[in-house]
Amino acid sequence: MQRAASVLTFLLTAMSAHAATYTVSSPADAGPGTLRQAILDANGSAGADQIVFTTPAVVATAAMPDITDVVAIDGSVGSGRVDIQGVPVNAGAFVFQAGASGSTLTAVSVRLYLDPLTINANNVTVTDSVFENVSQVNGTGNTLNGGNVFAVLRVFGSNNIVEANAIGYVAVVNGANNRIGSIGNGNTIGPGGVSVPVPANFYSVGVISAGHTFIEGNEIASNSDNGVYLADSSGPGATISGNTIHGQNIGILVSSLGVPGRFYGARILGNSIYDVNIPIDLGELAVPSTGPTANDPAPDADDGGNHLQNYPAIASAIGTPTVLAVNGVLVSAPLTTYRIELFGNPATSAQARTSLGTFDVTTDAAGNAPFTQLVAAPAAPNNVGLTATATNLTSNETSEVSAPVAIEVHTGVASVPTASTWALIGLALGLAAIALLRT
């Protein structure tokens, strides 16, 4: 055991002997003590090196050398970040190539460079940094978290994690299993939430020609067009959950572009979507332009974004200040299980402000699934209108948001309704369900 420990100590000492720390003390573009020279020296030194700064600013006149070996770059200067001013052309400040896999970048602020950060390596970690213009991730397993600010972020690789950042807008293109936020550790996404200029754009989050993508726990706001735009899936899938999406024309657009298969498998559950013209829009084939899509008869066989999954038809939402009985019917594919999600809203408009929970229904051989569900009544102000979505649990495809119904609250009954009260409400709801099935 002692011999093994001695060997390990020797190896660690030998490895650390090859590592070096390079200090950036000059704001100049080239020469001793500059960032350019530190990168060149770290590239030429075997082992995991370190670059630190004593100058608070760097003024560059050309692209920095690509980073080709493992390095930890720490731009902390006092309590701030080093300010790196580049040139407003397609030149890079920090370009991590394959040999730099496992590197870290912390506390830098990069201005003017049109390509401030490019990661062609794997397992690179970026924290507490600010990037103007367009940053790009092409590798696998990289982590961008901990207070970064990105004007524009493009993710082309796979299995990358983007959490706890402020982003003007982000596009996931190609690749698979990329994560934009997580529950409890989401990003703030939208041009209004970042401290750097954001160019004009038509979505806050875009998923284009990508495999399964996770968009979770984010606040997505302040965009004049789409909050989340899904198109050209290369293997169906997106999980969109736990987000707060507001201030857009369309909250989530599952596009078809008029072509079958453009995007299938978008599972949309547990979000709060409000202050939008359309909360969820499934693009149609015959009419590629956006707008609410009417339900079609069973077996719900029309095609478009998410196969144009039908939404539940809600007949009524009646109850007390604490409990609601929601009555409706889902007409869709026969003998299939669906997850119904209910939402309370401050008005009788098609929004999805406050989730009231979910429950599952299974359609019969004719494709009908009538339901009466008891849920906790929403608190004011979201106790005025009720809407719903349906998600096919086999295909993981979510519908648009249903037409709203007014929530009827009867304050004259007990907080916990008596059996006779529920019997009367149940009779009314049953009659409404029959009427729905006959339409």
Side-chain angles (χ1 to χ4, degrees):
M1 186 72 173
Q2 229 173 358
R3 180 182 176 84
S6 299
V7 171
L8 179 59
T9 302
F10 172 80
L11 290 174
L12 291 175
T13 303
M15 290 173 63
S16 63
H18 292 289
T21 297
Y22 301 97
T23 300
V24 180
S25 56
S26 169
D29 178 77
T34 64
L35 176 59
R36 183 179 304 280
Q37 190 61 50
I39 293 174
L40 292 172
D41 290 343
N43 286 342
S45 171
D49 301 305
Q50 184 179 33
I51 295 175
V52 298
F53 294 76
T54 58
T55 177
V58 172
V59 179
T61 60
M64 285 293 156
D66 290 0
I67 299 168
T68 58
D69 198 15
V70 183
V71 64
I73 301 174
D74 186 349
S76 302
V77 180
S79 59
R81 309 178 183 96
V82 64
D83 178 68
I84 300 172
Q85 179 178 306
V87 287
V89 296
N90 287 105
F94 296 101
V95 180
F96 293 88
Q97 299 294 5
S101 293
S103 294
T104 61
L105 177 64
T106 302
V108 300
S109 177
V110 184
R111 297 184 293 123
L112 296 185
Y113 277 117
L114 296 187
D115 305 302
L117 174 66
T118 302
I119 302 176
N120 299 322
N122 303 326
N123 303 312
V124 172
T125 300
V126 180
T127 57
D128 191 29
S129 295
V130 179
F131 303 95
E132 289 186 350
N133 298 312
V134 181
S135 299
Q136 188 160 303
V137 179
N138 302 312
T140 297
N142 299 288
T143 301
L144 313 179
N145 68 0
N148 297 300
V149 178
F150 298 95
V152 179
L153 178 63
R154 294 175 178 164
V155 180
F156 286 83
S158 297
N159 299 300
N160 297 290
I161 297 173
V162 180
E163 295 178 335
N165 306 290
I167 308 171
Y169 67 95
V170 55
V172 180
V173 185
N174 303 324
N177 297 315
N178 290 293
R179 181 171 294 279
I180 308 300
S182 60
I183 303 302
N185 202 24
N187 305 282
T188 299
I189 304 175
V194 296
S195 57
V196 292
V198 178
N201 61 292
F202 60 95
Y203 52 73
S204 294
V205 181
V207 178
I208 302 147
S209 299
H212 202 103
T213 304
F214 297 86
I215 304 168
E216 299 183 308
N218 305 288
E219 181 177 10
I220 301 171
S222 307
N223 188 295
S224 61
D225 204 333
N226 306 314
V228 178
Y229 173 72
L230 308 175
D232 291 342
S233 63
S234 63
T239 296
I240 305 171
S241 65
N243 303 285
T244 299
I245 302 173
H246 60 98
Q248 284 91 17
N249 177 32
I250 299 172
I252 300 171
L253 173 58
V254 185
S255 179
S256 70
L257 302 177
V259 179
R262 281 300 204 201
F263 208 98
Y264 296 153
R267 180 185 176 100
I268 305 168
L269 286 167
N271 303 283
S272 176
I273 309 174
Y274 61 94
D275 291 343
V276 296
N277 290 325
I278 304 172
I280 300 173
D281 191 2
L282 306 184
E284 302 174 50
L285 295 188
V287 186
S289 60
T290 58
T293 304
N295 283 342
D296 63 324
D300 190 11
D302 50 351
D303 198 3
N306 265 6
H307 287 99
L308 298 184
Q309 169 60 50
N310 281 353
Y311 54 79
I314 305 298
S316 59
I318 305 171
T320 74
T322 57
V323 181
L324 288 180
V326 179
N327 185 79
V329 63
L330 175 66
V331 178
S332 196
L335 305 175
T336 303
T337 301
Y338 295 86
R339 182 150 297 164
I340 308 297
E341 183 167 20
L342 303 174
F343 299 90
N345 298 286
T348 51
S349 58
Q351 305 286 294
R353 181 75 186 241
T354 300
S355 176
L356 305 183
T358 65
F359 59 94
D360 295 347
V361 299
T362 300
T363 51
D364 60 22
N368 300 314
F371 57 84
T372 297
Q373 183 72 17
L374 300 183
V375 297
N382 298 309
N383 59 348
V384 178
L386 185 133
T387 56
T389 60
T391 300
N392 184 320
L393 294 183
T394 301
S395 65
N396 285 321
E397 294 176 326
T398 299
S399 70
E400 295 182 350
V401 172
S402 72
V405 297
I407 296 174
E408 298 181 38
V409 176
H410 297 269
T411 57
V413 300
S415 294
V416 179
T418 64
S420 59
T421 301
W422 278 125
L424 291 173
I425 293 175
L427 176 61
L429 296 177
L431 292 172
I434 293 171
L436 272 172
L437 288 171
R438 288 177 174 173
T439 58

